[in-house]
């Protein structure tokens, strides 16, 4: 009987009644199936397999246990590994596995585990075991449901974990709390839910639920404060206010006080006529303060804003940051303490909540420059033999032709319809690059590329809002210096171009975060690295594993100029004023300008997210292939049958070689027009690869006569598609598409080519001929 039982039967007839008898689903408890994560994004809109927990047992807002079900016909212990994994991810204290007959339990805190005798623990039992020390605020927070806009969306598991961790710290009386979550994972949404719970539970510093709290959201940029303010729309209108110059001016110099949620930026709070604005509030006015991007703000020891946080010392202060502890932000961690919860960039990419990325490393013959007297000095003074490196360009010296060469190089390689952010060395450099992009663009729109820097003010902010609007295609490219490195929620960014050095790992991660947000049809984004920023991947604590970069090509000549752009010799200023020192402006001699060359180099990443050379990468591929294939005959057998080939490709994917990585290998061995079979045979057996055309032509010349005329015509169509696209056209699932395209439907094809079994046999025989030994010799 149990052998015929499905897992669904076991759940419905054996497990569900046991949980119901224990009171789960009643009195504030909840039983639900939870999709933990959708799985890493792969090419072609595909994903790795996601994770889903069969049962999550929640009581008073806390996920107390995970239960993994197996059908009655197999061992209940088969679910133990999954149960532990899911409980760890969800932050549940207990993990259970069951086949409906036997039960197994694990305490994830003490490590105690063993078989469980029914009855199953009640919600109150698990609550008491999870929280042996009662806390009334924990209960009050748990009684407040999350605000999900009427059930239209559900919190992601890590967001739930982060909120729970913060509220638990608040309930215990902690006053300095830190969350470290990768850019794009919804820090503002998390802050909203925390504020919602505090607001509805009437938590405040008095310790008694006698009034609603006063909560301050503090950012260092207006765009961040605006985004947060708009995200809190579920609160009553009279509960939310902005502390900004207009509001203060309308209130005759006094900041607003009659609200529950206040949004402002450090700069506004620190200014004022005479005393700073914040001193018009008593030190204990705010109960809870959220500091966005806290590693940049008042938590830094040397920050002039630190006094503001110290002034409001009685308040519970929550710091939000995307960066783990580094030497550059150690004072932030010293102020807040270790994070109560961390969700890293690597986690977000692997779970499928963030978009993977590729890196294109762009080296050129003018990455460094030595003045030799042959070029024209347009402004400033330079001595013969004086050398300049990347950090000098566009801060000490400007070579317009160099910037034009870089712009042309990436513009000719990207899809110019895709949204792109270019990071430049200064505001003036961003203006120069904007103009160069608009001079070489294919688009006819004068608004194709705009600069967004501090100097562009509200006009720049409007360009940014238009860029962030996924319904708008113009502007397509934004240039910037510092302003867009953080806090810009633009989901459909496909390219990030680095034209200035990246000074720290923190900044590097923030810039990468501009592209990680997911968007329909966005399988990855590309980082165009002209400044060797990829060396940040060598950092021992780098946690975001990128896709393999685009493969290298031969050096390419920059297209000849069709006319020099009109560039002024005005001195360039950094976004941070570096004084009136005049920059050197050099115009390259014509021959030098035309001889600039670029080459794209490749770095690959191993399973641990560490960079390795192309040679090491191919060596690893050879080792992995050797585990699957003993000799060339075995490779041919695995490859020449479409079903065997699909199984072999799945094995390669399990070793980490997905479609993207296999395509990179094809390019790496300079066999772009060859079948992947030839690529693998070359890596393993050093056989010179044939092109797909050569293989197809050999079959056309020697084998078509063995097929009936109509079937032969069909196979010739398939061979043509194979030549153009590759071995993916030979997959079993493609046969039906070819039949439908040629005859209208698979059913209608029978009258022309016969039974489907005959067509399948011909399809397979053609592939055996395509890969047989005499063709490849």
């Amino acid at each position: 009987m149990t052998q015929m039982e499905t897992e669904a039967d076991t759940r419905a007839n054996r497990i569900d009644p046991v949980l119901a008898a224990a009171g789960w689903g009643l009195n504030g408890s909840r039983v639900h199936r939870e999709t933990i994560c959708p799985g890493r994004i792969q090419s072609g809109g595909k994903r790795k397999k996601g994770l889903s927990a069969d049962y999550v047992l929640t009581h008073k807002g806390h996920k107390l246990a995970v239960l993994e079900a197996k059908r009655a016909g197999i061992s209940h212990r088969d679910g133990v590994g999954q149960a532990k994994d899911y409980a760890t991810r969800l932050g549940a204290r207990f993990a259970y596995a069951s086949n409906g007959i036997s039960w197994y339990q694990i305490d994830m805190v003490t490590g105690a585990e063993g078989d469980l005798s029914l009855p199953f623990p009640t919600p109150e039992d698990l609550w008491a075991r999870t929280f042996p020390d009662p806390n009334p605020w924990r209960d009050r927070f748990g009684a407040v449901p999350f605000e999900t806009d009427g059930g239209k969306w559900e919190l992601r598991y890590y967001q739930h974990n982060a909120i729970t961790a913060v509220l638990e710290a608040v309930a215990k009386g902690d006053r300095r709390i830190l969350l470290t979550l990768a850019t794009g994972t919804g820090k503002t949404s998390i802050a909203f839910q925390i504020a919602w719970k505090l607001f509805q539970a009437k938590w405040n510093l008095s310790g008694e639920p006698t009034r609603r709290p006063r909560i301050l959201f503090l950012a260092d940029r207006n765009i961040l404060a605006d985004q947060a303010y708009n995200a809190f729309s579920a609160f009553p209108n009279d509960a939310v206010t902005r502390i900004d110059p207009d509001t203060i001016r309308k209130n005759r110099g006094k900041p607003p006080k009659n609200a529950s949620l206040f949004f402002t930026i450090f700069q506004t709070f620190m200014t004022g006529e005479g005393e700073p604005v914040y001193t018009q509030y008593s030190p204990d006015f705010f109960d809870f303060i959220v500091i966005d991007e806290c590693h940049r703000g008042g938590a830094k020891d040397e920050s002039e804003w630190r006094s503001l946080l110290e002034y409001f010392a009685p308040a519970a202060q929550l710091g939000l940051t995307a960066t783990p502890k580094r030497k550059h932000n150690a004072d932030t961690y010293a102020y807040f303490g270790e994070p109560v919860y961390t969700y890293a960039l690597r986690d977000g990419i692997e779970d499928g909540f963030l978009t993977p990325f590729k890196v294109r490393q762009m080296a050129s013959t003018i990455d460094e420059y030595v003045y030799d007297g042959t070029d024209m000095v347009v402004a400033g003074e330079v001595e013969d033999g004086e050398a300049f490196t990347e950090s000098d360009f566009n801060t000490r010296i400007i070579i317009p032709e160099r910037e034009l060469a870089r712009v042309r190089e990436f513009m000719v390689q990207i899809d110019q319809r895709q949204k792109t952010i270019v990071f430049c060395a200064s505001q003036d450099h961003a203006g120069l690059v904007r103009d160069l992009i608009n001079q070489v663009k294919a688009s006819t729109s004068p608004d194709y590329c705009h600069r967004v820097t501090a100097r562009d003010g509200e006009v720049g902010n409007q360009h940014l809002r238009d860029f962030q609007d996924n319904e708008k295609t113009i502007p397509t490219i934004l240039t910037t210096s510092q302003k867009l490195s953080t806090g810009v929620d633009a989901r459909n960014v496909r390219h990030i171009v680095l034209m200035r050095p990246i000074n720290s790992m923190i900044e590097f991660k923030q810039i990468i975060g501009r592209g990680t947000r997911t968007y329909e049809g966005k399988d990855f984004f590309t980082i165009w690295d002209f400044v060797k920023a990829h060396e940040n991947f060598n950092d021992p604590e780098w946690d975001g594993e990128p896709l393999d970069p685009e493969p290298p090509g031969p050096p390419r000549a920059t297209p000849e100029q069709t006319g020099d752009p009109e560039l002024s010799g005005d001195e360039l200023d950094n976004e941070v004023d570096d004084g009136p020192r005049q920059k050197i402006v050099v115009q390259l001699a014509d021959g030098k300008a035309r001889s600039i060359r670029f080459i794209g180099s490749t770095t690959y990443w191993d399973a641990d997210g560490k960079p390795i050379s192309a040679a090491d990468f191919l060596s690893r591929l050879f080792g992995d292939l050797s585990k699957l294939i003993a000799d060339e005959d075995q490779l041919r057998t695995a490859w020449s049958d479409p079903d065997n080939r699909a199984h072999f490709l799945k094995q390669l994917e399990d070793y980490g070689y997905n479609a993207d990585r296999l395509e990179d290998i094809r390019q790496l061995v300079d066999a772009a027009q060859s079948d992947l079979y030839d690529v693998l045979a070359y890596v393993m057996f050093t056989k010179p690869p044939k092109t797909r055309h050569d293989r197809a032509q050999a079959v056309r010349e020697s084998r078509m006569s063995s097929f009936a005329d109509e079937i032969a015509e069909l196979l010739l169509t398939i061979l043509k598609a194979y030549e153009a696209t590759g071995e993916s056209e030979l997959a079993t699932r493609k046969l039906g598409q070819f039949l439908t395209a040629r005859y209208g439907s698979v059913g209608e094809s029978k009258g022309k080519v016969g039974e489907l079994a005959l067509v399948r046999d011909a399809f397979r025989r053609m592939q055996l001929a395509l890969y047989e030994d005499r063709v490849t010799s």
Side-chain angles (χ1 to χ4, degrees), residues 19 156 174 227 254 268 306 544 559 679 726 739:
L19 296 178
R156 295 172 178 174
D174 292 349
Q227 287 178 179
K254 296 183 180 298
T268 296
R306 178 66 168 265
V679 173
L739 290 171

Side-chain angles (χ1 to χ4, degrees), residues 321-570:
T321 182
T323 58
K325 187 175 182 180
R326 323 290 299 141
K327 64 181 180 180
H328 305 290
N329 65 344
D331 47 5
T332 299
Y333 281 73
Y335 181 81
F336 285 105
E338 292 300 311
V340 294
Y341 185 73
T342 297
Y343 188 73
L345 180 62
R346 174 197 289 272
D347 300 326
I349 291 175
E350 285 304 313
D351 284 346
F353 295 120
L354 298 177
T355 305
F357 56 92
K358 294 185 177 183
V359 180
R360 181 71 170 163
Q361 300 162 20
M362 306 303 296
S364 80
T365 54
I366 197 168
D367 285 351
E368 297 181 352
Y369 172 74
V370 178
Y371 179 72
D372 61 6
T374 62
D375 301 320
M376 180 185 298
V377 179
V378 178
E381 296 181 359
V382 61
E383 297 180 1
D384 280 1
E386 191 170 352
F388 301 88
T389 61
E390 188 64 53
S391 61
D392 298 316
F393 289 108
N394 302 295
T395 56
R396 288 184 57 214
I397 184 172
I398 305 158
I399 303 179
E401 296 91 346
R402 176 183 188 269
E403 306 311 306
L404 178 60
R406 286 184 165 188
V407 165
R408 282 181 163 158
E409 183 64 19
F410 75 77
M411 287 291 284
V412 78
Q413 295 192 53
I414 69 171
D415 181 339
Q416 292 191 19
R417 298 167 299 178
Q418 294 179 339
K419 292 190 177 182
T420 301
I421 300 177
V422 185
F423 288 91
C424 304
S426 68
Q427 295 188 79
D428 281 339
H429 184 217
L432 169 61
V433 172
R434 171 202 60 200
D435 297 341
L436 294 175
I437 289 172
N438 281 324
Q439 290 168 26
V440 305
K441 69 184 188 302
S443 170
T444 58
S445 172
D447 293 311
Y448 176 77
C449 178
H450 279 295
R451 182 182 72 169
V452 178
T453 66
R455 198 183 296 166
D456 294 295
E458 182 51 37
V459 173
N461 289 338
Q462 184 58 53
H463 293 322
L464 175 58
R465 287 191 287 270
D466 292 339
F467 181 81
Q468 291 174 300
D469 187 340
N470 294 313
E471 299 299 318
K472 296 181 179 179
T473 59
I474 299 293
T476 308
I477 299 180
L478 297 183
T479 67
T480 189
S481 174
Q482 301 285 343
K483 186 170 182 177
L484 303 186
S485 63
T486 60
V488 178
D489 186 5
R491 295 177 56 208
N492 200 18
V493 172
R494 303 299 183 101
H495 302 278
I496 292 175
V497 182
L498 303 179
M499 295 181 69
R500 68 167 169 85
I502 307 302
N503 297 319
S504 71
M505 173 59 71
I506 292 173
E507 185 181 26
F508 186 55
K509 286 187 176 181
Q510 289 171 336
I511 288 175
I512 286 177
R514 307 285 64 81
T516 55
R517 287 171 172 83
T518 58
Y519 190 74
E520 184 177 356
K522 179 180 172 182
D523 298 336
F524 63 92
F525 67 98
T526 302
I527 299 168
W528 298 84
D529 180 10
F530 287 93
V531 294
K532 300 181 180 178
H534 62 274
E535 293 176 357
N536 281 292
F537 290 121
N538 292 313
D539 185 287
E541 294 191 29
W542 167 253
D543 64 356
E545 179 185 353
L547 299 176
D548 298 323
E550 296 296 321
R556 300 156 20 107
T558 301
E560 290 194 357
Q561 290 184 211
T562 56
D564 290 333
E566 295 181 4
L567 300 169
S568 70
D570 296 340

Side-chain angles (χ1 to χ4, degrees), residues 624-632 634-635 638 648 684-685:
D624 290 335
L625 284 172
S626 299
K627 300 172 187 175
L628 300 174
I629 297 296
D631 52 40
E632 191 178 355
Q634 188 178 357
L635 175 62
F648 180 57
M684 288 199 72
F685 313 114

